[in-house]
Short mmCIF file of all heavy atoms in Angstrom, two decimals:
data_model
loop_
_atom_site.label_atom_id
_atom_site.label_comp_id
_atom_site.label_asym_id
_atom_site.label_seq_id
_atom_site.Cartn_x
_atom_site.Cartn_y
_atom_site.Cartn_z
N HIS A 5 0.89 4.45 -2.73
CA HIS A 5 0.87 5.88 -2.37
C HIS A 5 2.06 6.60 -3.02
O HIS A 5 1.94 7.70 -3.53
CB HIS A 5 0.94 6.05 -0.85
CG HIS A 5 -0.30 5.57 -0.17
ND1 HIS A 5 -0.34 5.28 1.17
CD2 HIS A 5 -1.54 5.32 -0.64
CE1 HIS A 5 -1.55 4.87 1.50
NE2 HIS A 5 -2.30 4.88 0.41
N SER A 6 3.24 5.95 -2.97
CA SER A 6 4.43 6.56 -3.54
C SER A 6 4.29 6.73 -5.05
O SER A 6 4.66 7.76 -5.61
CB SER A 6 5.66 5.70 -3.24
OG SER A 6 5.86 5.61 -1.84
N LEU A 7 3.74 5.70 -5.70
CA LEU A 7 3.53 5.78 -7.15
C LEU A 7 2.61 6.94 -7.50
O LEU A 7 2.84 7.68 -8.44
CB LEU A 7 2.93 4.47 -7.66
CG LEU A 7 3.90 3.28 -7.78
CD1 LEU A 7 3.14 2.01 -8.11
CD2 LEU A 7 4.95 3.57 -8.85
N CYS A 8 1.53 7.08 -6.70
CA CYS A 8 0.58 8.17 -6.94
C CYS A 8 1.28 9.51 -6.80
O CYS A 8 1.10 10.41 -7.62
CB CYS A 8 -0.59 8.08 -5.97
SG CYS A 8 -1.84 9.35 -6.21
N HIS A 9 2.09 9.61 -5.74
CA HIS A 9 2.77 10.88 -5.49
C HIS A 9 3.78 11.18 -6.60
O HIS A 9 3.88 12.31 -7.08
CB HIS A 9 3.48 10.83 -4.14
CG HIS A 9 3.98 12.16 -3.69
ND1 HIS A 9 3.15 13.24 -3.53
CD2 HIS A 9 5.22 12.60 -3.37
CE1 HIS A 9 3.86 14.29 -3.13
NE2 HIS A 9 5.12 13.92 -3.03
N ILE A 10 4.50 10.14 -7.04
CA ILE A 10 5.48 10.33 -8.13
C ILE A 10 4.76 10.74 -9.41
O ILE A 10 5.19 11.64 -10.13
CB ILE A 10 6.28 9.03 -8.35
CG1 ILE A 10 7.21 8.78 -7.15
CG2 ILE A 10 7.09 9.10 -9.64
CD1 ILE A 10 7.82 7.40 -7.12
N LEU A 11 3.64 10.07 -9.69
CA LEU A 11 2.87 10.39 -10.88
C LEU A 11 2.37 11.83 -10.82
O LEU A 11 2.42 12.57 -11.80
CB LEU A 11 1.69 9.44 -11.03
CG LEU A 11 0.82 9.64 -12.27
CD1 LEU A 11 1.63 9.29 -13.53
CD2 LEU A 11 -0.43 8.78 -12.21
N CYS A 12 1.92 12.23 -9.62
CA CYS A 12 1.44 13.60 -9.45
C CYS A 12 2.56 14.60 -9.78
O CYS A 12 2.34 15.58 -10.47
CB CYS A 12 0.97 13.83 -8.02
SG CYS A 12 -0.55 12.96 -7.62
N LEU A 13 3.76 14.32 -9.26
CA LEU A 13 4.88 15.23 -9.49
C LEU A 13 5.30 15.23 -10.95
O LEU A 13 5.62 16.26 -11.54
CB LEU A 13 6.06 14.83 -8.60
CG LEU A 13 5.87 15.05 -7.09
CD1 LEU A 13 7.05 14.48 -6.34
CD2 LEU A 13 5.70 16.53 -6.79
N PHE A 14 5.28 14.05 -11.56
CA PHE A 14 5.71 13.94 -12.95
C PHE A 14 4.76 14.70 -13.88
O PHE A 14 5.19 15.47 -14.74
CB PHE A 14 5.78 12.47 -13.36
CG PHE A 14 6.08 12.27 -14.82
CD1 PHE A 14 7.36 12.50 -15.31
CD2 PHE A 14 5.08 11.89 -15.70
CE1 PHE A 14 7.63 12.34 -16.66
CE2 PHE A 14 5.35 11.73 -17.03
CZ PHE A 14 6.63 11.95 -17.53
N THR A 15 3.45 14.47 -13.70
CA THR A 15 2.50 15.09 -14.60
C THR A 15 2.44 16.60 -14.40
O THR A 15 1.99 17.33 -15.27
CB THR A 15 1.08 14.52 -14.40
OG1 THR A 15 0.75 14.61 -13.02
CG2 THR A 15 1.01 13.08 -14.84
N LEU A 16 2.93 17.04 -13.25
CA LEU A 16 3.01 18.47 -12.99
C LEU A 16 3.85 19.16 -14.06
O LEU A 16 3.60 20.32 -14.42
CB LEU A 16 3.63 18.69 -11.61
CG LEU A 16 3.67 20.09 -11.05
CD1 LEU A 16 2.25 20.56 -10.78
CD2 LEU A 16 4.45 20.12 -9.77
N LEU A 17 4.84 18.43 -14.56
CA LEU A 17 5.74 19.01 -15.54
C LEU A 17 5.11 19.09 -16.92
O LEU A 17 5.60 19.79 -17.79
CB LEU A 17 7.03 18.16 -15.62
CG LEU A 17 7.79 17.99 -14.29
CD1 LEU A 17 8.94 17.02 -14.48
CD2 LEU A 17 8.31 19.34 -13.82
N SER A 18 4.04 18.35 -17.12
CA SER A 18 3.44 18.33 -18.45
C SER A 18 2.63 19.60 -18.71
O SER A 18 2.19 20.29 -17.81
CB SER A 18 2.53 17.11 -18.62
OG SER A 18 1.26 17.38 -18.10
N LEU A 19 2.43 19.85 -19.97
CA LEU A 19 1.74 21.06 -20.41
C LEU A 19 0.31 21.10 -19.90
O LEU A 19 -0.26 22.16 -19.68
CB LEU A 19 1.75 21.12 -21.94
CG LEU A 19 1.07 22.32 -22.62
CD1 LEU A 19 1.80 23.61 -22.23
CD2 LEU A 19 1.06 22.16 -24.11
N PHE A 20 -0.27 19.92 -19.70
CA PHE A 20 -1.68 19.86 -19.37
C PHE A 20 -1.95 19.80 -17.87
O PHE A 20 -3.10 19.76 -17.46
CB PHE A 20 -2.32 18.63 -20.04
CG PHE A 20 -2.11 18.62 -21.53
CD1 PHE A 20 -1.18 17.78 -22.10
CD2 PHE A 20 -2.83 19.47 -22.34
CE1 PHE A 20 -0.97 17.77 -23.46
CE2 PHE A 20 -2.63 19.48 -23.70
CZ PHE A 20 -1.70 18.63 -24.28
N ALA A 21 -0.93 19.78 -17.07
CA ALA A 21 -1.13 19.67 -15.63
C ALA A 21 -1.73 20.95 -15.06
O ALA A 21 -1.51 22.03 -15.56
CB ALA A 21 0.19 19.37 -14.93
N ILE A 22 -2.50 20.78 -14.01
CA ILE A 22 -3.10 21.93 -13.35
C ILE A 22 -2.01 22.77 -12.69
O ILE A 22 -1.03 22.24 -12.18
CB ILE A 22 -4.10 21.45 -12.30
CG1 ILE A 22 -5.35 20.95 -13.02
CG2 ILE A 22 -4.48 22.53 -11.31
CD1 ILE A 22 -6.36 20.35 -12.10
N THR A 23 -2.19 24.07 -12.72
CA THR A 23 -1.16 24.96 -12.18
C THR A 23 -1.25 25.02 -10.66
O THR A 23 -1.65 26.02 -10.08
CB THR A 23 -1.31 26.37 -12.77
OG1 THR A 23 -2.67 26.80 -12.55
CG2 THR A 23 -1.04 26.38 -14.25
N SER A 24 -0.91 23.93 -10.04
CA SER A 24 -0.81 23.88 -8.58
C SER A 24 0.48 23.16 -8.27
O SER A 24 0.89 22.26 -8.98
CB SER A 24 -1.99 23.12 -7.98
OG SER A 24 -1.67 22.68 -6.69
N SER A 25 1.14 23.56 -7.19
CA SER A 25 2.42 22.96 -6.87
C SER A 25 2.26 21.55 -6.32
O SER A 25 3.23 20.82 -6.16
CB SER A 25 3.16 23.83 -5.85
OG SER A 25 2.39 23.92 -4.67
N GLN A 26 1.03 21.13 -6.00
CA GLN A 26 0.87 19.86 -5.32
C GLN A 26 -0.13 18.90 -5.95
O GLN A 26 -0.02 17.70 -5.77
CB GLN A 26 0.46 20.13 -3.87
CG GLN A 26 1.51 20.88 -3.09
CD GLN A 26 0.90 21.71 -1.97
OE1 GLN A 26 -0.05 22.44 -2.17
NE2 GLN A 26 1.46 21.61 -0.78
N LEU A 27 -1.12 19.39 -6.65
CA LEU A 27 -2.19 18.55 -7.14
C LEU A 27 -2.17 18.43 -8.66
O LEU A 27 -1.76 19.35 -9.36
CB LEU A 27 -3.55 19.11 -6.69
CG LEU A 27 -3.72 19.37 -5.19
CD1 LEU A 27 -5.10 19.95 -4.92
CD2 LEU A 27 -3.51 18.10 -4.38
N THR A 28 -2.64 17.30 -9.16
CA THR A 28 -2.73 17.10 -10.60
C THR A 28 -3.98 16.29 -10.94
O THR A 28 -4.36 15.39 -10.17
CB THR A 28 -1.50 16.37 -11.17
OG1 THR A 28 -1.82 15.89 -12.47
CG2 THR A 28 -1.09 15.21 -10.30
N SER A 29 -4.61 16.58 -12.04
CA SER A 29 -5.84 15.88 -12.41
C SER A 29 -5.57 14.43 -12.83
O SER A 29 -6.50 13.66 -13.00
CB SER A 29 -6.56 16.64 -13.53
OG SER A 29 -5.71 16.82 -14.64
N TYR A 30 -4.31 14.05 -13.00
CA TYR A 30 -3.99 12.70 -13.49
C TYR A 30 -3.50 11.77 -12.39
O TYR A 30 -2.98 10.70 -12.68
CB TYR A 30 -2.93 12.81 -14.59
CG TYR A 30 -3.40 13.64 -15.76
CD1 TYR A 30 -3.02 14.97 -15.89
CD2 TYR A 30 -4.26 13.08 -16.70
CE1 TYR A 30 -3.48 15.73 -16.96
CE2 TYR A 30 -4.72 13.84 -17.78
CZ TYR A 30 -4.33 15.16 -17.90
OH TYR A 30 -4.79 15.91 -18.95
N CYS A 31 -3.67 12.14 -11.17
CA CYS A 31 -3.06 11.40 -10.05
C CYS A 31 -3.43 9.92 -10.02
O CYS A 31 -2.60 9.08 -9.72
CB CYS A 31 -3.46 12.06 -8.73
SG CYS A 31 -2.65 11.37 -7.28
N TYR A 32 -4.70 9.58 -10.30
CA TYR A 32 -5.15 8.20 -10.15
C TYR A 32 -5.21 7.44 -11.47
O TYR A 32 -5.77 6.35 -11.53
CB TYR A 32 -6.53 8.17 -9.47
CG TYR A 32 -6.54 8.79 -8.10
CD1 TYR A 32 -7.32 9.92 -7.83
CD2 TYR A 32 -5.75 8.28 -7.07
CE1 TYR A 32 -7.32 10.51 -6.57
CE2 TYR A 32 -5.74 8.85 -5.81
CZ TYR A 32 -6.54 9.97 -5.56
OH TYR A 32 -6.53 10.55 -4.32
N GLU A 33 -4.61 7.99 -12.50
CA GLU A 33 -4.72 7.39 -13.82
C GLU A 33 -4.21 5.95 -13.85
O GLU A 33 -4.77 5.09 -14.52
CB GLU A 33 -3.96 8.24 -14.84
CG GLU A 33 -4.55 8.19 -16.23
CD GLU A 33 -4.04 9.32 -17.10
OE1 GLU A 33 -2.82 9.38 -17.31
OE2 GLU A 33 -4.85 10.13 -17.56
N THR A 34 -3.13 5.68 -13.14
CA THR A 34 -2.60 4.31 -13.10
C THR A 34 -2.93 3.60 -11.80
O THR A 34 -3.06 2.37 -11.78
CB THR A 34 -1.06 4.31 -13.27
OG1 THR A 34 -0.47 5.09 -12.24
CG2 THR A 34 -0.67 4.89 -14.62
N THR A 35 -3.05 4.33 -10.68
CA THR A 35 -3.26 3.68 -9.38
C THR A 35 -4.71 3.32 -9.11
O THR A 35 -4.99 2.39 -8.34
CB THR A 35 -2.77 4.60 -8.24
OG1 THR A 35 -3.44 5.87 -8.35
CG2 THR A 35 -1.27 4.81 -8.32
N CYS A 36 -5.66 4.04 -9.72
CA CYS A 36 -7.08 3.72 -9.55
C CYS A 36 -7.86 4.29 -10.73
O CYS A 36 -8.62 5.25 -10.58
CB CYS A 36 -7.61 4.29 -8.23
SG CYS A 36 -9.24 3.62 -7.77
N PRO A 37 -7.67 3.71 -11.92
CA PRO A 37 -8.26 4.28 -13.13
C PRO A 37 -9.78 4.36 -13.14
O PRO A 37 -10.35 5.19 -13.84
CB PRO A 37 -7.74 3.35 -14.24
CG PRO A 37 -7.29 2.11 -13.56
CD PRO A 37 -6.85 2.52 -12.20
#
Side-chain angles (χ1 to χ4, degrees):
H5 292 162
S6 298
L7 284 172
C8 181
H9 191 57
I10 290 168
L11 182 67
C12 290
L13 291 174
F14 174 74
T15 52
L16 187 66
L17 302 174
S18 84
L19 180 63
F20 304 104
I22 286 175
T23 54
S24 160
S25 61
Q26 297 152 312
L27 306 178
T28 164
S29 56
Y30 300 99
C31 186
Y32 300 118
E33 211 164 60
T34 59
T35 55
C36 193

